[in-house]
Amino acid sequence: MTERETQARENIIRQGDRSTQCCLVLDGLLARSKVLIDGTRQILSFEIAGDIPDLQSLHLEAMDHELESISPSRIAFIQHTVLRDLLRFHPRLSDILWRETLIDAPISREWLTNVGRRDGVQRLAHLVIEIWLRLKVVGKVNAMSFHLPITQEQLGDAIGLSTVHANRILQSLREKQLLSWDHGQVDILNLDALAELALFDPAYLHLKPALSGFAPKATSRT
Amino acid sequence: MTERETQARENIIRQGDRSTQCCLVLDGLLARSKVLIDGTRQILSFEIAGDIPDLQSLHLEAMDHELESISPSRIAFIQHTVLRDLLRFHPRLSDILWRETLIDAPISREWLTNVGRRDGVQRLAHLVIEIWLRLKVVGKVNAMSFHLPITQEQLGDAIGLSTVHANRILQSLREKQLLSWDHGQVDILNLDALAELALFDPAYLHLKPALSGFAPKATSRT
DNA sequence: CGACGCTTTGACCCGTTTCAACAATGGTGG
DNA sequence: CCACCATTGTTGAAACGGGTCAAAGCGTCG
């Protein structure tokens, strides 16, 4: 097991790579993304402390997407062989890691729904709440504020919008007094309104109930 | 283990359900989908013979999406308890099933990219090729033709478009002589052109190389 | 035959993209 | 310490893709 510091915008794993190790995010912010031949990019997820973005490489041969650092980060690498030995003798751990990889898919599906069926304002609101919740679970939020050092271009790539439009949507949410976003410092000013606007339902994150601490108004009357 | 025949448009598993069993598609066509509070729907994936759509329920408590039959289908149910007993004594099987669940995420990510970064024509082309390839692997295609009995409303829900626009895009692909689509009978008339148009790269399906039998022109010159 | 579900069409509207320019910021080297 | 350059954020105008609504074809089945 080795540890490493990355700079911002560093490529960690490339599409097509055949990994012999998994990486664990200790601190910082990474993103997984797909780059199409025409150069357009879709960010698939953000990876924060505690995430193991490429755990899938344990069973899938080639990486099907890129993994890059957004901000300077600290990551640990664990050899597949080591991990496999561990799993052989600790079946419980196997289940835990299996569950871990399972949560990838629900999040991707929610993002798919986000991009496919919500408009720009909703998409941004939804993303903000997701990140806030996930950061909260690992203790990286300060009440309603957190640090998300992404550019508006990256924001657009995450929610399937152009940079310019991402900017305009940010402004509209600021005008509505729903959030502030300045130099990567995000502040949720009205969580309930934001959640209702985004049609946010935290179920897809599969958090332990106690950790969620957030019962969205919008979905409680089903 | 029990077996069951479903009709078309039957709900198999509901969002929020806590399953005690997994289902295996023996024949037919199912879809997973999310329904937002405002009634809009996003289809997340199509499930064909050989798929185990809710294998995730083995480790995740509640379902985060719906599972419905599109056409009359045959499905088998296996109790979690039975499966868990099996896994305890056959660690190899555990790995195989783990790998199976892992492929969910890449497909969702590709769909996310599809909806987020491709235009309508590309989205439809991409979907058609994916289904064709997956059906081919399980021997359900006849050369370049296959059966995909979905309505244009469902098609729109899958690629994040309105029904009307899905219709118009279908027409444009027909006019370009790229495919024909009549009463659920799909015929790919020009695979290469379709793949290039869609920027299709089959890597995300994680098929064994021999099974793919398809090296898209568009990506081979990277 | 009539009803129903699905496909197709037209017209109009709106969200989003694109392009281009400009402002703010921060870092670099002279 | 300042001039310069590269990023990033912001704005406006015009164009376009896709959405919406409503009505009309079409096929199938009881």
Side-chain angles (χ1 to χ4, degrees), chain B residues 9 151-152 167-168 171 174:
Chain B
R9 291 165 180 276
T151 68
Q152 294 184 3
N167 175 281
R168 291 189 164 125
Q171 291 179 48
R174 284 197 274 243

Side-chain angles (χ1 to χ4, degrees), chain B residues 151-207:
Chain B
T151 68
Q152 294 184 3
E153 182 181 12
Q154 291 164 335
L155 176 59
D157 285 344
I159 57 181
L161 294 177
S162 67
T163 309
V164 172
H165 205 61
N167 175 281
R168 291 189 164 125
I169 281 169
L170 244 187
Q171 291 179 48
S172 96
L173 283 178
R174 284 197 274 243
E175 273 165 26
K176 288 178 190 150
Q177 307 279 327
L178 294 180
L179 60 77
S180 72
W181 182 317
D182 188 52
H183 288 272
Q185 192 61 34
V186 184
D187 217 313
I188 298 180
L189 302 178
N190 188 336
L191 177 62
D192 288 346
L194 213 54
E196 186 155 4
L197 173 69
L199 307 179
F200 189 89
D201 178 346
Y204 72 99
L205 291 172
H206 293 278
L207 305 172

Side-chain angles (χ1 to χ4, degrees), chain A residues 189-203:
Chain A
L189 302 178
N190 188 336
L191 178 61
D192 288 348
L194 213 54
E196 185 155 4
L197 173 68
L199 308 179
F200 190 89
D201 178 347

Side-chain angles (χ1 to χ4, degrees), chain A residues 9 151-152 164 167-168 171 174:
Chain A
R9 292 167 180 274
T151 68
Q152 293 183 1
V164 171
N167 174 284
R168 292 186 165 129
Q171 291 180 46
R174 284 196 274 240

Side-chain angles (χ1 to χ4, degrees), chain A:
Chain A
M1 177 161 146
T2 62
E3 207 178 309
R4 178 180 149 202
E5 310 252 332
T6 78
Q7 312 209 305
R9 292 167 180 274
E10 206 174 300
N11 187 295
I12 317 293
I13 309 175
R14 216 163 247 112
Q15 203 163 334
D17 280 2
R18 289 158 192 282
S19 309
T20 58
Q21 54 186 16
C22 288
C23 82
L24 164 68
V25 184
L26 298 174
D27 201 20
L29 182 65
L30 309 189
R32 304 202 249 176
S33 65
K34 289 219 176 206
V35 182
L36 300 189
I37 310 163
D38 64 6
T40 54
R41 163 188 307 258
Q42 174 69 47
I43 291 183
L44 305 165
S45 69
F46 291 110
E47 307 289 327
I48 62 176
D51 290 337
I52 312 178
D54 63 340
L55 196 46
Q56 65 166 82
S57 66
L58 203 56
H59 291 287
L60 296 181
E61 302 69 35
M63 281 295 282
D64 49 67
H65 58 271
E66 311 276 322
L67 177 64
E68 291 162 317
S69 62
I70 300 256
S71 61
S73 306
R74 244 176 63 240
I75 48 188
F77 294 94
I78 309 161
Q79 290 297 125
H80 283 174
T81 50
V82 176
L83 213 44
R84 273 193 248 270
D85 283 347
L86 263 175
L87 294 182
R88 181 156 28 231
F89 296 110
H90 302 280
R92 281 284 299 149
L93 181 61
S94 176
D95 284 350
I96 289 171
L97 287 187
W98 188 348
R99 181 178 197 280
E100 186 67 26
T101 63
L102 278 178
I103 296 182
D104 254 28
I107 294 185
S108 296
R109 283 187 223 113
E110 188 66 33
W111 280 45
L112 168 57
T113 308
N114 207 24
V115 170
R117 285 301 182 222
R118 284 187 260 248
D119 68 23
V121 182
Q122 294 177 307
R123 289 184 211 176
L124 179 44
H126 197 279
L127 176 68
V128 166
I129 301 177
E130 173 185 315
I131 304 287
W132 172 74
L133 248 183
R134 288 176 53 206
L135 285 174
K136 195 169 115 160
V137 170
V138 294
K140 299 263 178 187
V141 304
N142 181 1
M144 304 311 286
S145 323
F146 57 96
H147 195 54
L148 186 65
I150 63 176
T151 68
Q152 293 183 1
E153 183 182 11
Q154 291 164 337
L155 175 59
D157 285 345
I159 58 181
L161 294 178
S162 67
T163 309
V164 171
H165 205 60
N167 174 284
R168 292 186 165 129
I169 282 169
L170 243 187
Q171 291 180 46
S172 97
L173 284 179
R174 284 196 274 240
E175 273 165 27
K176 287 178 191 152
Q177 307 278 327
L178 295 180
L179 59 79
S180 72
W181 183 317
D182 188 53
H183 288 271
Q185 192 60 35
V186 184
D187 217 314
I188 298 179
L189 302 178
N190 188 336
L191 178 61
D192 288 348
L194 213 54
E196 185 155 4
L197 173 68
L199 308 179
F200 190 89
D201 178 347
Y204 72 98
L205 291 172
H206 293 278
L207 305 173
K208 308 292 178 194
L211 288 176
S212 159
F214 169 61
K217 301 287 191 308
T219 53
S220 57
R221 39 172 137 85
T222 314

